């Protein structure tokens, strides 16, 4: 049974992965025996994260690192994170960099433009606060139109591929980029 | 009578700095506050003392309301509360903060000096200093209030009115002000500034009237003290102008200090047994330090806030929930659902109650949320959630911890290391170059907590 570990920026990201996992099961996009576990990246870019990553790479079939670029260069962020991935595990680790933050998925799904700071955008439109992220995400993808649109968002597509495809080799190239 | 909710509506208070003098081991303790501040240090370094200083500040309100006769009894007497037991010393607590209300924003500090004499609790002095948009201080002692302003400020008004027709009349008063730059308000009817805020809240129904009435009140005291009425109509108009500009920030500063004292939540040892007991809820809006009034506060707030429910869903599972239920004889209690079964109070883990308390404090916009030994009863994942919540909130978190697991999820700028100096006085330290820590940890291959421990920081 394939096991995937997802590292997120914070607890809210972990909540989102939980919701997504359930959705993928109900949509039959994820084989029933696929196991996905997620946790927030510990504090600093540190040896702690390195060790967590190394352990996850050893014990899981695939590891996804889902990070936010906050408008910084996405390449730069990807390179920064890939430093933590031990060479012999490069093929297992898949780094996905959001342009700003996860909230951009929600904007995209709803057909809105993604400008600076999606969370600020949501604050204006729905009195959004961070703790609502998993719930807002759930409500968004429960709308089939939004869900279909989101599946076309490049970053999200990347994540979907990583979570649903049981193909180790396919991801090696992304890390090398 | 307005309650804290009505007074806090539309007012934003952001605490920036805490200063404590002569309280327990905090002989001269100054801490710049970030959004999250986690205090670490060996046993006896003063972590608990730092948090208890906030408690003393809160207790001043209880004293002024007549609910507490001597706050020092909390520490079994003044001797235990004051630095090295020297009862001749007064204790001072001082906050720097900004207050925003409507289109006005002020940077203010409030300092209160307390002591014990003749076995009685005494407030010796309060001082509100406005740092921006202008510099002015109101000093309040029981027998006299003083307005202290800068010469430049007076000069600004001086030139402002110099072209006016009735300039002579005005100059007379301005010169009087200019001569000593201090206005003594001898016949002030109010002994304590904080008491004035409490009195206003008692009679006024909302923020606007509390601020407005208090402002007028202080202005009246000043003009009366200066004998402005006797100086004629024209003058009073000019002076009104000046006073308006001076007193409005002071008023906001005072209301801000009240909000800090009233709204701050300090969690000590939690009385889980009391929380589990079904009760007839009372109207209460501030969570007590032991959390025992949690059910009352939740009942007073109405429905359980979304933030609280979301936190439970996060740590207890997506399908879980929490609700207020009532027993057949009308007593309220909290019931948790984990998706499959329901949990009645005896089966609810302590950590869930602690999480609800912390989340409720955040939802209520507590200016400061302080918690000693934050790790107690909380799983690492839950602590991480609480920390993420603080980072994204408008509250300031002050937590103490002994747990390496907690330290490892922090950013260096969030850590406060306590150390005692030669005299035994607690001194806080922060990392001077937090940006460089990450590279160091990678170079050494250690965790943040290991770095702090073996690097000789704590
Ligand atoms: N009145 C006082 N004057 C000076 N030091 C005091 C006073 N009361 C307590 N202390 C010191 O404070 C220390 C306890 O601080 P505390 O905040 O409880 O430590 P911790 O960091 O373990 O929480 C003791 O070592 C004691 O010496
Ligand atoms: Mg302690």
């Amino acid at each position: 049974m394939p096991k995937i570990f997802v590292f997120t920026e914070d607890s809210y990201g972990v909540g989102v992965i939980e919701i997504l996992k359930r959705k993928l099961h109900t949509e039959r996009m994820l084989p029933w025996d696929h196991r996905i576990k997620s946790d927030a990246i510990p504090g600093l870019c540190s040896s702690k994260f390195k060790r967590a990553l190394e352990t996850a790479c050893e014990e899981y079939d695939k590891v996804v690192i889902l990070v936010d670029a906050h408008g910084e260069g996405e390449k730069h962020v990807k390179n920064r994170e890939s430093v933590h991935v031990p060479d012999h595990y490069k093929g297992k680790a898949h780094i996905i960099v959001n342009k700003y933050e996860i909230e951009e998925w929600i904007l995209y799904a709803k057909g809105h433009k993604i400008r600076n700071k999606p969370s600020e955008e949501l604050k204006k439109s729905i009195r959004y606060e961070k703790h609502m992220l998993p719930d807002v995400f759930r409500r968004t993808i429960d709308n089939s139109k939004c869900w279909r649109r989101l599946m076309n968002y490049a970053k999200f597509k990347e994540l979907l591929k990583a979570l649903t495809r049981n193909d180790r080799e396919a991801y090696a190239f992304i890390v090398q980029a | 009578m307005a309650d804290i909710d009505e007074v806090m509506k539309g007012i934003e208070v952001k605490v920036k700095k805490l200063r404590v003098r002569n309280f327990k081991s905090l002989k001269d303790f100054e801490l710049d506050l970030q959004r999250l501040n986690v205090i670490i240090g060996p046993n006896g370094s003063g972590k608990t003392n730092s948090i208890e200083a906030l408690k003393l500040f809160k207790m001043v309100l209880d004293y002024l309301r007549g609910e507490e006769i001597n706050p020092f009894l909390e520490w079994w007497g003044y001797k235990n509360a004051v630095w090295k037991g020297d009862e001749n010393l007064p204790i001072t607590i001082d906050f720097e903060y900004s207050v925003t209300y409507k289109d006005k924003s002020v940077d203010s500090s409030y300092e209160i000096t307390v002591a014990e004499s003749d076995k009685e609790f005494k407030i010796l002095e309060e001082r509100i200093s406005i740092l921006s948009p202008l510099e002015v201080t109101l000093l309040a002692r029981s027998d006299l209030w003083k307005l202290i302003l800068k010469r430049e400020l007076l000069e600004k008004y001086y030139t402002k009115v110099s072209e006016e027709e009735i300039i002579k009349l005005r100059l007379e008063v301005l010169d009087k002000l200019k001569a000593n730059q201090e206005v003594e308000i001898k016949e002030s009817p109010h002994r304590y500034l904080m008491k004035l805020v409490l009195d206003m809240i008692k009679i006024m129904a909302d923020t606007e009237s509390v601020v407005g009435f208090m402002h007028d009140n202080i202005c009246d005291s000043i003009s009366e003290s200066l004998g402005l009425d006797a100086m004629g109509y024209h003058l009073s108009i000019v002076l009104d102008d000046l006073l308006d500009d001076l007193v409005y920030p002071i008023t906001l500063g005072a209301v801000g200090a009240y909000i800090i004292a009233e709204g701050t939540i300090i969690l000590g040892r939690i009385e889980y047994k009391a929380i589990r007991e079904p009760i007839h809820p009372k109207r209460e809006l501030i969570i007590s330090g032991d959390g025992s009034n949690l059910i009352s506060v939740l009942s007073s707030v109405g429905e359980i806030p979304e933030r609280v429910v979301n936190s439970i869903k996060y740590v207890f599972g997506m399908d879980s929930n929490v609700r207020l239920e009532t027993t057949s004889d009308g007593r309220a209690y909290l019931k948790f659902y984990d998706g499959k079964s329901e949990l009645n109070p005896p089966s609810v883990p302590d950590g869930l109650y602690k999480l609800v308390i912390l989340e409720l404090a955040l939802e209520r916009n507590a200016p400061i949320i302080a918690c000693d030994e934050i790790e107690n009863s909380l799983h690492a994942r839950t602590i991480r959630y609480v920390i993420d919540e603080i980072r994204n909130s408008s509250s300031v978190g002050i937590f103490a911890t002994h747990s390496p697991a907690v330290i490892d999820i922090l950013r260096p700028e969030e850590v406060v290391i306590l150390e005692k100096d030669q005299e035994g006085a607690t001194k806080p330290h922060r990392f001077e170059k937090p940006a460089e820590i990450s590279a160091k940890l990678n170079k050494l291959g250690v965790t943040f907590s290991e770095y702090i421990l073996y690097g000789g920081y704590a």
Side-chain angles (χ1 to χ4, degrees):
Chain A
M1 111 186 133
K3 293 196 302 179
I4 303 173
F5 197 102
V6 184
F7 285 101
T8 60
E9 288 259 330
D10 53 29
S11 308
Y12 310 109
V14 173
V16 165
I17 296 297
E18 285 297 310
I19 301 285
L20 178 60
K21 185 166 82 181
R22 182 175 287 202
K23 175 77 173 171
L24 295 179
H25 276 300
T26 53
E27 295 285 326
R28 298 182 185 281
M29 291 170 71
L30 200 64
W32 65 271
D33 62 342
H34 238 82
R35 287 246 314 255
I36 296 174
K37 187 174 159 46
S38 73
D39 203 356
I41 295 172
L44 290 165
C45 255
S46 71
S47 45
K48 179 119 176 174
F49 179 41
K50 220 167 181 163
R51 296 210 290 257
L53 198 54
E54 196 157 355
T55 309
C57 284
E58 177 68 29
E59 299 299 324
Y60 286 77
D61 299 300
K62 201 184 300 178
V63 173
V64 175
I65 306 163
L66 180 60
V67 286
D68 302 335
H70 299 291
E72 270 181 74
E74 290 160 52
K75 253 236 171 81
H76 162 76
V77 174
K78 188 171 262 186
N79 288 339
R80 191 186 67 201
E81 296 304 323
S82 71
V83 170
H84 300 293
V85 185
D87 281 337
H88 52 288
Y89 287 124
K90 289 269 194 245
K92 264 192 183 184
H94 188 165
I95 303 165
I96 298 171
V97 184
N98 286 313
K99 215 177 188 138
Y100 296 100
E101 49 190 348
I102 292 188
E103 283 85 346
E104 71 199 41
W105 302 355
I106 292 159
L107 289 183
Y108 191 94
K110 290 181 169 174
H112 299 312
K113 276 230 166 65
I114 298 164
R115 284 185 234 114
N116 242 335
K117 266 247 169 220
S119 55
E120 291 299 320
E121 215 50 40
L122 288 175
K123 257 178 214 166
K124 273 182 238 153
S125 57
I126 57 166
R127 307 183 88 211
Y128 172 79
E129 289 184 68
K130 268 282 180 189
H131 67 84
M132 300 172 183
L133 179 58
D135 203 44
V136 171
F137 179 69
R138 179 184 56 74
R139 277 185 278 133
T140 306
I141 61 173
D142 277 352
N143 175 315
S144 55
K145 214 164 150 187
C146 291
W147 173 241
R148 257 180 281 124
R149 212 180 282 132
L150 180 59
M151 283 198 293
N152 279 319
Y153 185 51
K155 303 286 170 192
F156 188 71
K157 225 150 101 182
E158 231 181 287
L159 176 68
L160 279 187
K161 267 197 227 162
L163 295 182
T164 56
R165 268 210 229 151
N166 190 15
D167 176 4
R168 287 181 200 177
E169 305 304 312
Y171 307 102
F173 73 93
I174 296 172
V175 178
Q176 285 156 12
Chain B
M1 174 177 169
D3 55 31
I4 175 97
D5 270 33
E6 281 141 5
V7 179
M8 280 172 76
K9 204 174 279 167
I11 291 200
E12 219 173 277
V13 180
K14 189 169 181 293
V15 187
K16 294 174 175 168
K17 191 179 206 159
L18 165 68
R19 214 177 298 141
V20 182
R21 263 160 289 166
N22 299 330
F23 176 71
K24 302 195 91 185
S25 64
L26 314 183
K27 182 179 181 239
D28 189 358
F29 179 90
E30 202 175 309
L31 184 61
D32 286 315
L33 294 166
Q34 309 273 333
R35 171 85 40 229
L36 172 63
N37 309 269
V38 179
I39 302 176
I40 62 173
N43 284 326
S45 57
K47 298 183 293 297
T48 300
N49 295 346
S50 314
I51 288 173
E52 287 196 338
L54 300 172
K55 194 176 195 172
L56 174 61
F57 183 63
K58 264 188 94 69
M59 289 175 91
V60 170
L61 286 188
D62 301 331
Y63 166 77
L64 289 174
R65 284 196 191 99
E67 291 164 5
E68 183 80 57
I69 290 166
N70 185 348
F72 294 127
L73 292 178
E74 174 85 15
W75 294 273
W76 291 24
Y78 196 52
K79 210 172 169 52
N80 298 314
V82 71
W83 164 250
K84 293 214 164 152
D86 183 351
E87 290 173 88
N88 296 315
L89 294 171
I91 295 173
T92 301
I93 301 174
D94 172 349
F95 288 95
E96 261 178 48
Y97 50 94
S98 65
V99 185
T100 309
Y101 179 58
K102 292 187 173 167
D103 57 343
K104 292 260 181 359
S105 193
V106 302
D107 288 331
S108 174
S109 78
Y110 174 84
E111 182 190 276
I112 184 164
T113 303
V114 296
E116 191 180 86
S117 72
D118 304 328
K119 299 235 175 267
E120 274 183 37
F121 182 81
K122 293 264 157 63
I123 296 177
L124 300 181
E125 188 181 296
E126 293 165 281
R127 181 188 289 259
I128 292 208
S129 296
I130 304 300
L131 311 165
S132 116
L134 45 80
E135 281 179 60
V136 57
T137 295
L138 180 63
L139 188 134
R141 297 198 196 112
S142 59
D143 54 341
L144 153 129
W145 283 22
K146 239 184 212 180
L147 193 66
I148 304 164
L149 45 154
K150 285 213 158 165
R151 172 161 231 114
E152 300 92 85
L153 191 68
L154 281 173
E155 263 149 23
K156 209 179 95 196
Y157 277 85
Y158 195 85
T159 51
K160 203 165 147 187
V161 294
S162 65
E163 288 153 26
E164 302 287 323
E165 219 176 89
I166 41 168
I167 189 160
K168 271 193 187 142
L169 278 170
R170 291 171 183 178
L171 288 181
E172 191 185 325
V173 182
L174 288 170
D175 279 343
K176 192 171 168 183
L177 276 170
K178 211 172 160 185
N180 52 8
Q181 295 159 54
E182 282 186 11
V183 183
E184 294 192 353
I185 312 161
K186 291 207 179 76
E187 268 136 276
S188 165
H190 325 287
R191 273 160 64 88
Y192 307 114
L193 255 171
M194 198 64 109
K195 182 77 165 68
L196 178 60
V197 184
L198 285 175
D199 289 345
M200 292 296 128
I201 288 167
K202 214 181 250 169
I203 51 176
M204 297 292 155
D206 57 31
T207 321
E208 184 155 347
S209 42
V210 167
V211 171
F213 208 72
M214 182 154 166
H215 170 260
D216 293 351
N217 217 297
I218 298 177
C219 282
D220 286 351
S221 307
I222 295 174
S223 36
E224 206 169 294
S225 190
L226 280 172
L228 290 191
D229 287 347
M231 290 179 192
Y233 176 72
H234 290 304
L235 256 181
S236 62
I237 289 179
V238 177
L239 258 282
D240 266 0
D241 239 27
L242 171 60
L243 281 184
D244 243 25
D245 288 0
L246 293 179
V247 174
Y248 195 78
I250 290 173
T251 305
L252 286 187
V255 174
Y258 160 76
I259 289 173
I260 295 171
E262 188 82 285
T264 287
I265 307 287
I266 303 157
L267 270 191
R269 211 158 277 130
I270 297 173
E271 289 293 339
Y272 295 107
K273 210 171 152 214
I275 300 175
R276 287 192 170 90
E277 198 60 43
I279 53 147
H280 293 289
K282 291 196 223 67
R283 180 159 174 82
E284 283 186 71
L285 292 164
I286 307 288
I287 306 156
S288 58
D290 59 8
S292 59
N293 65 350
L294 175 65
I295 305 300
S296 283
V297 177
L298 279 172
S299 305
S300 308
V301 169
E303 54 188 328
I304 297 193
E306 193 183 341
R307 180 192 297 279
V308 175
V309 175
N310 284 343
S311 71
I312 295 300
K313 283 188 192 300
Y314 182 79
V315 305
F316 211 41
M318 253 190 302
D319 298 318
S320 61
N321 206 345
V322 54
R323 248 177 263 157
L324 268 175
E325 302 271 339
T326 326
T327 58
S328 52
D329 60 348
R331 289 173 303 152
Y333 64 98
L334 267 188
K335 188 177 255 178
F336 291 78
Y337 301 82
D338 70 358
K340 295 179 201 80
S341 48
E342 41 181 66
L343 273 74
N344 280 312
S347 327
V348 175
D350 289 352
L352 285 190
Y353 287 122
K354 186 168 178 178
L355 178 64
V356 170
I357 294 170
L358 289 165
E359 290 289 330
L360 190 56
L362 278 167
E363 184 58 26
R364 313 273 307 135
N365 289 322
I368 300 174
I369 300 173
C371 183
D372 203 356
E373 303 181 352
I374 183 75
E375 67 274 18
N376 287 352
S377 318
L378 297 181
H379 183 268
R381 225 172 100 94
T382 311
I383 294 176
R384 173 62 192 261
Y385 188 81
V386 170
I387 283 175
D388 283 336
E389 279 281 87
I390 295 272
R391 284 172 177 162
N392 287 288
S393 75
S394 56
S395 300
V396 164
I398 304 179
F399 298 157
T401 190
H402 278 298
S403 159
V406 174
I407 295 170
D408 284 339
I409 51 182
L410 300 175
R411 301 171 187 144
E413 59 271 24
E414 293 168 335
V415 174
V416 178
I417 300 165
L418 295 190
E419 227 174 32
K420 276 187 166 173
D421 69 6
Q422 280 168 322
E423 283 186 290
T426 296
K427 296 284 174 188
H429 301 280
R430 291 202 187 251
F431 287 104
E432 272 164 27
K433 295 174 180 161
E436 289 172 14
I437 304 280
S438 212
K440 273 225 169 103
L441 301 187
N442 281 315
K443 183 178 135 201
L444 297 167
V446 294
T447 63
F448 191 27
S449 57
E450 285 166 343
Y451 178 74
I452 287 174
L453 183 64
Y454 304 127
Y457 289 98

